[in-house]
């Protein structure tokens, strides 16, 4: 077959590429990972005993707002990073730091309005170790499905894509864990929720180049 004939054959019956297929795959994967994370948290840890009290509901709303803000902003970046050269279409991703900054400011205000003798209890709480372990463990499933979805695309900055996948997984896991967590203070949320989500992000950045390699 001549070159011209081969080119003509390859150029027949061309169909436009569905540019939104990767985005849809990511959304579906993160939704499935979220369902799995909530299932693990509810079955493995259970709901907190005083879930329906006014104080519990207020702090649950704060925890969920913090985590949902992170996931929502990170997902905007990840949908672009899933495509080749997507990192050139976004800034450094500093917008995702906004929820962290907000919760840190609120935590500082909360500490400033309380006696110093209460600070340790407000920061450490009773479940710091459980939080430190549970959020990264629960995040494994949403991280895995996010990586699977990213592999359907063609990310070229593997470390950054992995970091945002880890950030989303950590945020989803924090939402699920919040249903069980009975430690209610803004400093606790800032340190242990924020800290474990950052750990998930760093783990994603480290694993991204290996798991997303073409």
């Amino acid at each position: 077959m001549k070159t011209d004939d081969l080119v003509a054959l390859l150029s027949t019956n061309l169909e436009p590429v569905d540019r939104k297929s990767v985005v849809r795959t990511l959304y579906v994967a993160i939704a499935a990972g979220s369902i799995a994370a909530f299932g693990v948290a509810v079955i493995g840890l259970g709901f907190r005993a005083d879930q329906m009290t006014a104080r519990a509901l207020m702090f649950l709303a704060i925890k969920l707002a913090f985590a949902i803000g992170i996931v929502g902003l990170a997902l905007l970046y990840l949908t672009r990073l899933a495509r080749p050269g997507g990192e050139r279409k976004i800034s450094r991703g500093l917008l995702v730091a906004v929820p962290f900054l907000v919760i840190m400011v609120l935590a500082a205000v909360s500490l400033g309005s309380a006696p110093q003798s209460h600070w340790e209890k407000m920061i450490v709480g009773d479940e710091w170790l459980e939080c430190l372990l549970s959020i990264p463990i629960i995040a494994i499933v949403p991280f895995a499905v996010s990586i699977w979805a990213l592999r359907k695309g063609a990310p070229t900055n593997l470390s950054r894509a992995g970091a945002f996948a880890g950030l989303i997984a950590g945020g989803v896991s924090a939402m699920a864990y919040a249903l069980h967590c009975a430690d209610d203070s803004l400093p606790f949320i800032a340190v242990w929720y924020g800290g474990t989500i950052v750990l998930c992000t760093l783990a994603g950045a480290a694993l991204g180049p290996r798991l997303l390699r073409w």
Side-chain angles (χ1 to χ4, degrees):
M1 180 180 293
K2 296 181 180 180
T3 302
D4 292 341
D5 294 334
L6 178 59
V7 171
L9 179 62
L10 293 175
S11 61
T12 57
N13 298 323
L14 293 180
E15 297 180 359
V17 176
D18 186 356
R19 298 176 61 86
K20 296 183 179 180
S21 62
V22 175
V23 175
R24 286 197 300 268
T25 302
L26 271 173
Y27 286 160
V28 170
I30 291 169
S34 299
I35 293 171
F38 277 87
V40 170
V42 171
I43 295 172
L45 299 173
F47 293 104
R48 59 183 292 177
D50 60 343
Q51 185 71 60
M52 299 310 296
T53 63
R55 177 181 174 82
L57 290 174
M58 180 184 70
F59 275 95
L60 175 62
I62 293 172
K63 294 169 184 175
L64 291 178
F66 172 56
I68 290 172
I70 291 171
V71 172
L73 292 172
L75 186 55
L76 292 176
Y77 288 102
L78 192 61
T79 54
R80 298 179 184 180
L81 288 169
R83 300 187 182 95
E87 65 276 4
R88 295 195 296 269
K89 300 177 182 179
I90 64 174
S91 62
R92 293 181 179 271
L94 297 179
L95 191 60
V96 296
V98 171
F100 292 97
L101 294 175
V102 170
I103 199 66
M104 288 172 63
V105 170
L106 293 176
V109 171
S110 178
L111 287 173
S113 62
Q116 288 191 1
S117 59
H118 293 179
W119 286 10
E120 182 177 356
K121 176 67 174 178
M122 294 171 68
I123 295 172
V124 178
D126 297 319
E127 301 177 359
W128 68 271
L129 182 58
E130 182 184 75
C131 182
L132 180 63
L133 296 175
S134 296
I135 291 180
I137 291 173
I138 296 172
I140 291 174
V141 173
F143 179 71
V145 295
S146 296
I147 291 295
W148 170 82
L150 281 173
R151 289 180 63 87
K152 299 296 182 179
T156 47
N157 190 320
L158 307 186
S159 179
R160 187 179 293 188
F164 277 95
L167 181 61
I168 289 173
V172 167
S173 178
M175 284 189 280
Y177 178 70
L179 299 176
H180 167 78
C181 180
D183 270 316
D184 293 335
S185 78
L186 293 170
F188 183 90
I189 298 170
V191 172
W192 300 107
Y193 279 65
T196 50
I197 292 173
V198 170
L199 285 177
C200 293
T201 305
L202 295 175
L207 293 171
R210 181 178 301 178
L211 299 177
L212 295 172
R213 186 179 302 155
W214 293 13

